[in-house]
Amino acid sequence: MEGNRDEAEKCMLIARKALEAGDKEKALKFLNKAEKLYPTDKAKVLLDALTRNGNSAGSGASCRKPTDSTDGGKSEKESNSSGAGETAKSFTKDQVEGVQRIKKCKDYYEVLSVTKEANEEELKKAYRKLALKFHPDKNHAPGATDAFKKIGNAYAVLSNSEKRKQYDLTGGEDTTCSPQGQGGFDFHRGFEADITPEDLFNMFFGGGFPSNSASTFTNGRARYSPQYQNQTRRERQEDRADGGFSMFIQLMPIVVLILVSVLSQLMVSTPPYSLYPRPATGQTIKRQTENLVVDYYVSKDFRSEYKGTALQKIEKGVEDDYVSNIRNNCWKERQTKTDLLYAAKVYRDERLRRKAEIMTMDNCKELDRLNDLFRGG
């Protein structure tokens, strides 16, 4: 099991990239594969989150508003010459107050503004509303990133039945800021989520908040990577290549079986005779055995290839096969007739009795003829 750990981690990495790209189906596929190779809590949490939120993940896309691309298009020179002093993106008083409220919350229920009896739908509704409001691509107030992370952590814990039960037993969280004074929250007592706020947001809103490039969250601001699109394209190409090779490996046993079957058929030689005409093998010339006068069919080269003792062996094989077939067919005829007579007796069905009596029993008659020939010989 330990030997599969590296492969499971690779599958987890592919799943995370698929989540970032908004491909939930692919993410679910590789998460299941990772869980089979090497079960981990992280894979389980991601699978649970995808299962719970998969039906509503795409609904948030229609609620999102497109960002104003002109804000990011201003050059540094234009910003400096404007005289407005906008070294950072603007924010409102309400956004600052909202961040402060989240910072002062003493437990996760207060963060999401729900009661301790809130069900799963209420948690989803509260998280969706707050995540859109505090996402760093939309809310640029100081501490918005930490508030966004805290909201995601709260939902990830409360939406997990086991973690929620443990959280309710041990109490709330400490809201003490980090010693460096950067506004970070101290998530303690083992209640830190096994999924990042960004991944959780992507699962709800189908690939993240709209922006022209990828963003990473640092010091309450968004830092954008201009190479994101090329990198994503390369990663997707690599994933396709990995998927194709994996599919080839899975199909390899089937291909081997087909090849073995074809080769075995080619290696088996065609018998020199047939009890029935076979145009596909050229066995259409009718002959009869000398002893029991049994019909069989051969190819045009049979007469020149089999003579004397060889011909006698062939005809003996023909007669043995023929007698064996007749004996089996006769047994089937007798069994069928017996069954019909028994059914006619049980159900008092005159039609079944007549059907049994008019059976010709051709194979049994032929078997009697062959037995007479044996006795006569």
Side-chain angles (χ1 to χ4, degrees), residues 281-296:
T281 58
Q283 293 170 332
T284 56
I285 300 175
K286 183 178 179 180
R287 290 176 60 93
Q288 288 184 331
T289 61
E290 184 177 353
N291 186 19
L292 299 179
V293 194
V294 174
D295 294 339
Y296 66 103

Side-chain angles (χ1 to χ4, degrees), residues 50-65:
L50 271 175
T51 303
R52 285 194 301 270
N53 305 323
N55 293 333
S56 60
S59 61
S62 60
C63 301
R64 296 179 291 185
K65 297 179 180 180

Side-chain angles (χ1 to χ4, degrees), residues 127-327:
Y127 170 77
R128 188 180 292 110
K129 178 180 177 181
L130 292 172
L132 284 171
K133 183 177 180 182
F134 289 94
H135 194 284
D137 280 354
K138 184 176 181 181
N139 190 329
H140 306 293
T145 297
D146 289 320
F148 175 74
K149 291 179 180 178
K150 189 170 184 178
I151 293 166
N153 205 52
Y155 176 78
V157 171
L158 297 182
S159 62
N160 185 306
S161 57
E162 295 180 3
K163 288 199 171 190
R164 182 175 182 176
K165 187 181 298 183
Q166 184 183 359
Y167 179 79
D168 290 341
L169 290 174
T170 56
E173 63 156 325
D174 183 9
T175 56
T176 306
C177 295
S178 59
Q180 291 80 4
Q182 295 180 358
F185 293 96
D186 179 19
F187 302 109
H188 70 301
R189 298 183 183 178
F191 295 115
E192 187 167 357
D194 293 324
I195 179 173
T196 66
E198 292 84 357
D199 288 344
L200 184 60
F201 187 89
N202 288 341
M203 283 187 289
F204 261 85
F205 300 102
F209 203 84
S211 62
N212 293 331
S213 60
S215 60
T216 56
F217 306 118
T218 57
N219 296 329
R221 293 291 180 269
R223 183 178 71 245
Y224 297 91
S225 172
Q227 292 83 12
Y228 174 73
Q229 293 180 349
N230 292 334
Q231 179 183 355
T232 302
R233 191 179 296 110
R234 288 195 300 270
E235 289 172 352
R236 289 180 179 176
Q237 290 175 351
E238 292 173 359
D239 292 344
R240 287 195 207 100
D242 292 341
F245 182 73
S246 176
M247 181 65 69
F248 175 76
I249 294 298
Q250 293 175 5
L251 293 176
M252 181 62 73
I254 300 176
V255 174
V256 171
L257 286 175
I258 294 174
L259 289 176
V260 170
S261 177
V262 172
L263 290 175
S264 62
Q265 291 180 3
L266 292 175
M267 293 174 64
V268 175
S269 59
T270 304
Y273 66 89
S274 173
L275 296 178
Y276 309 96
R278 296 176 61 185
T281 58
Q283 293 170 332
T284 56
I285 300 175
K286 183 178 179 180
R287 290 176 60 93
Q288 288 184 331
T289 61
E290 184 177 353
N291 186 19
L292 299 179
V293 194
V294 174
D295 294 339
Y296 66 103
Y297 297 84
V298 297
S299 62
K300 60 182 180 179
D301 298 328
F302 180 85
R303 185 185 297 272
S304 60
E305 293 179 0
Y306 297 93
K307 297 178 181 179
T309 305
L311 180 59
Q312 292 176 359
K313 289 183 179 180
I314 291 295
E315 292 193 347
K316 186 177 185 306
V318 171
E319 292 174 349
D320 289 343
D321 290 344
Y322 182 74
V323 171
S324 178
N325 288 341
I326 292 298
R327 187 181 292 114

